[in-house]
Amino acid sequence: MFRTVRSARTTALTALCCAAVFPGLVGCGVFSEVGSELGSAAEEVQSDLEDAAREVLTEGQLFTGTKTLDVDGASVHVSCSGTPSDGRPVVVLMAGMGDGLDTLEGLQETLAEDERVCSYDRLGEGESDQPEGRQSIDDAGRTLTVVLEDVAGDGPVVLVGHSLGGLIAARYAPDHQDRVSGLVLLDATSPTMIDDISDVIPESATGEGAEVRAQNMAIFEGENPEAIVIDSDPEVRSAGDVPVEVVQHGVPYLGEIAEYGDDLERVWSEGQEKWLALSDRSRLSTAEGSGHYIHVDEPDVAVDAVRRVVDEAAA
């Protein structure tokens, strides 16, 4: 996550549709045939079975489509696709600040061909409720826990986070090593981003540099859609011996900021390297043809990174 004066959301993807993975489970033809042959008793059985099937489909671990979860009285929008598989972790996608889960639609659709994949809107984003007040990274983690309990139960998950979603995932994993079996960070916000900006752009800056500094300071202090306060923390704690893929952008987009752009690109890259401390099995790569939205600019790069981590986690 980084905002420039000229920055704008560059993608507008359609919302996820609600397609059922079990199209023949509810109201299938065999129930109707039994009902016609055995009369009202069979019709009651049919009704009970249909009700039971609907109940199964709304449980997170088998749910496909979109729904809302209650998190301390607030509604959180969740989407799931793909079929659960024994021994395979559930992939959970986490969007960046200012983005809903719709920005991850293409990535989710592709991964769901082989994996169980879910995504969600954090409070203040997409179709989820607004937060009641300021949030912390820990608050975002508590929301994530509710989502994971619903979509994965006690099973393992691989967290895939873009921008701020990556920072939240990286901060969450060390405290939940029993659940998080792998991480993919797509141009994740640096653990020291606010300090890095302050170091590069001094308070004495004028013009565009001053605007960029003030804008980002306000964002990190909670003036953002999620009302989330993002503190710098140079300590990157271990998430255990799990596979971690850190993918950074290769097409410079901060360099357009007069006077300070090159240094901002440098500290962003240094921030990506800091995330390697999450695990001894961390790898850093560069999406050479991508700006900040790697999963949009080079979806194959994002898909391959997720599949590698899922395969290693499953093994």
Side-chain angles (χ1 to χ4, degrees), residues 16-22 25 52-69 76-84 90-91 101 108 112 115-121 127 147-153:
L16 285 163
C17 63
C18 302
V21 142
F22 308 109
L25 186 58
R54 291 190 186 95
E55 182 176 349
V56 166
L57 285 172
T58 60
E59 293 178 358
Q61 295 175 62
L62 295 179
F63 163 76
T64 295
T66 61
K67 70 173 183 179
T68 58
L69 292 179
V76 172
H77 184 223
V78 180
S79 168
C80 287
S81 313
T83 305
V90 175
V91 178
L101 58 79
Q108 179 163 337
E115 311 292 347
R116 176 68 169 166
V117 189
C118 298
S119 56
Y120 72 106
D121 290 328
E127 296 184 33
V147 172
L148 298 185
E149 288 175 347
D150 185 80
V151 303

Side-chain angles (χ1 to χ4, degrees), residues 91 93 106-115 160 184 186 245 247 294-296 298-311:
V91 178
L93 308 179
L107 181 60
Q108 179 163 337
E109 182 179 355
T110 300
L111 290 171
E113 295 173 3
D114 303 301
E115 311 292 347
V160 180
V184 179
L186 301 173
E245 291 263 357
V247 188
I294 294 169
H295 52 292
V296 175
E298 288 188 283
D300 288 347
V301 171
V303 168
D304 289 346
V306 175
R307 285 176 172 163
R308 284 194 296 270
V309 169
V310 172
D311 285 344

Side-chain angles (χ1 to χ4, degrees), residues 67-78 123 129 142-143 145-147 149-150:
K67 70 173 183 179
T68 58
L69 292 179
D70 181 274
V71 180
D72 295 329
S75 293
V76 172
H77 184 223
V78 180
L123 293 178
D129 285 349
R142 282 188 281 273
T143 299
T145 293
V146 175
V147 172
E149 288 175 347
D150 185 80

Side-chain angles (χ1 to χ4, degrees), residues 2 43 48 93 109 127 134 181 189 204 207 209 236 293:
F2 185 88
E43 289 177 0
D48 290 343
L93 308 179
E109 182 179 355
E127 296 184 33
R134 286 284 191 261
S181 61
T189 301
S204 59
V236 176
Y293 284 78

Side-chain angles (χ1 to χ4, degrees), residues 247-259:
V247 188
Q248 65 181 350
H249 69 262
V251 178
Y253 68 94
L254 302 175
E256 64 185 36
I257 302 171
E259 188 177 351

Side-chain angles (χ1 to χ4, degrees), residues 128-206:
S128 291
D129 285 349
Q130 295 296 311
E132 292 185 355
R134 286 284 191 261
Q135 294 194 93
S136 66
I137 296 296
D138 287 342
D139 292 330
R142 282 188 281 273
T143 299
L144 176 57
T145 293
V146 175
V147 172
L148 298 185
E149 288 175 347
D150 185 80
V151 303
D154 296 328
V157 299
V158 166
L159 300 181
V160 180
H162 170 242
S163 198
L164 178 62
L167 183 146
I168 293 171
R171 292 297 188 205
Y172 183 86
D175 293 326
H176 300 84
Q177 296 183 32
D178 58 332
R179 180 185 295 275
V180 180
S181 61
L183 288 163
V184 179
L185 307 183
L186 301 173
D187 224 30
T189 301
S190 166
T192 56
M193 195 68 234
I194 192 65
D195 289 342
D196 296 340
I197 294 172
S198 299
D199 290 343
V200 170
I201 307 177
E203 286 189 65
S204 59
T206 59

